[in-house]
Structure formats: C-alpha cells, structure tokens
Amino acid sequence: MTPETALPPLPSLRESIRAHGLDALKTLGQHFLLDPTLCMRIAALGGNLTDSHVVEIGPGPGGLTRALLQSNARSVHAVEIDRRAWPLLEELQTHYPDQLHIVRQDALKLDAAQLAPAPRQIIANLPYNVATPLLVGWLRQADQWSRMALMFQKEVAERVCAAPGTSAYGRLAVLSQWCADCSIALTLPPGAFSPPPKVHSAVALIIPHAEQPSPALFKAMEQVTAAAFGQRRKMLRAALKPIKGAILLEETGIDPTRRAETLSIAEFDGLARCHLQQKQNDT
C-alpha cells in the first residue's frame, strides 16, 4: 500500500523526532536507528514481505517501521511500551491505516504470536536490556514464526550463532541453534545509532526448523543447559549432578570429564531427551 495522496507528506524521521521531542532513554535500552538505507537493509532480511505479517518490538520513532511498511509487508504490528513514541507511530499510522497496528504493551508480557496470523515474522531493533529474554521466549514458540531478523549487541548476536568450542558458545547458542538456523546477517557500528551505544551491533537471522521440540522437551533442554553452563569450568559429571547427570551421561555415552562448551547441539539434544524421559519415569 502507498501513503494516501490526500494527506500532507509524511515528515522525515528526524523532523518527526524533533517535533515530538523524543530522546532515547537509557533505562529502556533505546538506541534509535535513523538511517533509512540501513533500515531498508534490515527489512530486506525478511525476504518478500508481501504475504507476511511482521511483528516489530520497540519501534521507537519508527525508522524500521517505515522501512517495513515501504517494503509492502502485509501488516506491521509495532509493540511499543514507551508512550512518548506513540504520537510518532500514530502519525505514521495515518499514512498506513490498513497496514500499521500499534500495540501499546510490554513485549515481555505479551504473546507476540497472537498479534498476527501466519505467516508471521519478527523483525526488530531490540531494546538491548531485554533482548535475550525476548529471544528465549520466542524460541519456545519457534513453530509460530517463519523467521526472525533481530538486532542485538554484537556480543549477544555472536553468542546466538557461536560454534561449539568457542568462548561465545553457551546456553543461548544451544537453545537458538537447536530450534533454528542462525547466522549474523549484518553488523553495524555505534555511529549508526542515536545515541551511539558503546558497542557494535549485529542482526542475527534466525530461521526456525520445520520440526520443533515439544514444550516439555524445550523445558528439559533449558534445565540441562542451565546446569551444564551454570559453572563452565566444571566437568559435566559435576555440573549436571543436580539433575542426576551421571545417569544422563551414561545413557548418552558422553564422557563425564568433558565440559559443556565442547558438546554439539546433537549431544545436548540427547541429554535433554534423556532428562525428559527420566522426569517422566519419576512421576
């Protein structure tokens, strides 16, 4: 859809920000992405959006929102808790009344998959202070999403995509790569944002697998990875002791003297399945 011709031209993003006096708040982890070219590059990671419903978390002044709308997304559901940003999004909504839906809620308390019908994606420049818990929540329902293109601090994006045996490999990598194909699609310097963060940022492209674990199995994996990586320096026989790790390691044939960062995703899958079976046998 194109903006309504009867309306006055949409002000530039910077003009809208000045008009409404919107400043990024550190307490909300906000760093606004204002470069329209970069916003379009991120929107393009969603592929052809014509038939896709997009959920955007933390749109702020709406730079990425504009790019998603201009990319002809079937609908954009912008979830924003900061009431200071609502007037800017409402201004944008007048130009895209059928596409843009403003959700004035806390994303951490929201089932994002209920906002839009399938096929649905999440494309977002995430608030840095809540990015990880948001991702884990979406991984629990990965079967609901066709893909996610998520901006994180670069360090967090590297943890999502890390390979076994690397320093960044941990619980987040296992959960993410167990459920999806993960890659870093774009890296941005601090100067791309206003205000500039102290670190580089990166967009992780997360494409869920066709088959997903059951909720019970996902919970078992969360318990296994929490124990395994809770004390990284410990051997698995000690780290997994609180969840009867000796039995799990024997059942899966994993050397108990290994450490968590050396295990593959497939080996963690085996541990999680054994842990779930053990819990079911105990009930």
Side-chain angles (χ1 to χ4, degrees):
M1 175 182 291
T2 57
E4 296 290 339
T5 55
L7 293 172
L10 185 66
S12 73
L13 185 60
R14 293 184 184 276
E15 288 172 342
S16 291
I17 290 173
R18 282 195 297 269
H20 293 280
L22 182 63
D23 296 318
L25 287 181
K26 185 177 181 180
T27 54
L28 292 178
Q30 293 175 328
H31 296 280
F32 298 151
L33 185 61
L34 306 181
D35 185 325
T37 300
L38 288 176
C39 289
M40 288 301 295
R41 287 180 66 186
I42 296 171
L45 294 175
N48 185 347
L49 297 178
T50 305
D51 294 322
S52 287
H53 301 275
V54 178
V55 175
E56 182 190 7
I57 306 299
L64 179 56
T65 316
R66 293 183 182 215
L68 293 169
L69 293 166
Q70 291 163 10
S71 299
N72 292 323
R74 189 167 179 180
S75 68
V76 177
H77 300 259
V79 181
E80 181 56 72
I81 192 175
D82 185 0
R83 62 179 59 248
R84 301 174 309 132
W86 295 348
L88 282 84
L89 296 173
E90 289 163 357
E91 179 180 67
L92 186 55
Q93 191 178 45
T94 63
H95 288 258
Y96 296 90
D98 298 327
Q99 277 177 283
L100 179 58
H101 306 272
I102 304 170
V103 183
R104 301 169 178 82
Q105 295 187 46
D106 183 348
L108 286 170
K109 301 177 181 178
L110 183 68
D111 182 353
Q114 296 300 311
L115 296 178
R120 61 179 78 84
Q121 302 187 31
I122 305 176
I123 304 177
N125 172 20
L126 296 176
Y128 287 165
N129 57 349
V130 293
T132 298
L134 283 173
L135 173 58
V136 173
W138 296 329
L139 290 173
R140 292 190 185 107
Q141 52 172 211
D143 61 337
Q144 298 296 307
W145 305 100
S146 60
R147 73 172 63 188
M148 310 178 208
L150 307 176
M151 176 88 73
F152 300 99
Q153 291 183 19
K154 185 181 178 184
E155 178 185 351
V156 177
E158 289 173 341
R159 285 168 49 206
V160 170
C161 303
T166 62
S167 60
Y169 186 71
R171 180 170 179 261
L172 193 58
V174 175
L175 291 175
S176 299
Q177 295 172 45
W178 185 48
C179 294
D181 292 324
C182 304
S183 60
I184 293 179
L186 184 66
T187 300
L188 287 83
F193 299 86
S194 178
K198 296 180 180 179
V199 297
H200 281 65
S201 302
V203 179
L205 185 60
I206 301 169
I207 302 180
H209 300 145
E211 295 185 10
Q212 292 294 324
S214 68
L217 182 56
F218 192 96
K219 185 176 181 179
M221 178 64 90
E222 287 189 285
Q223 292 169 338
V224 167
T225 52
F229 290 104
Q231 299 182 64
R232 295 178 68 99
R233 294 184 179 276
K234 285 190 173 183
M235 295 179 184
L236 287 170
R237 64 186 175 198
L240 297 179
K241 189 174 181 180
I243 57 170
K244 301 180 180 179
I247 299 174
L248 303 183
L249 294 168
E250 182 179 359
E251 289 287 329
T252 55
I254 295 173
D255 184 347
T257 65
R258 291 174 64 185
R259 289 179 170 81
E261 63 268 21
T262 70
L263 268 60
S264 67
I265 304 296
E267 287 174 315
F268 271 110
D269 178 76
L271 287 171
R273 292 179 186 278
C274 285
H275 181 46
L276 177 58
Q277 186 63 55
Q278 182 177 285
K279 290 198 300 180
Q280 292 173 339
N281 292 340
D282 289 344
T283 57

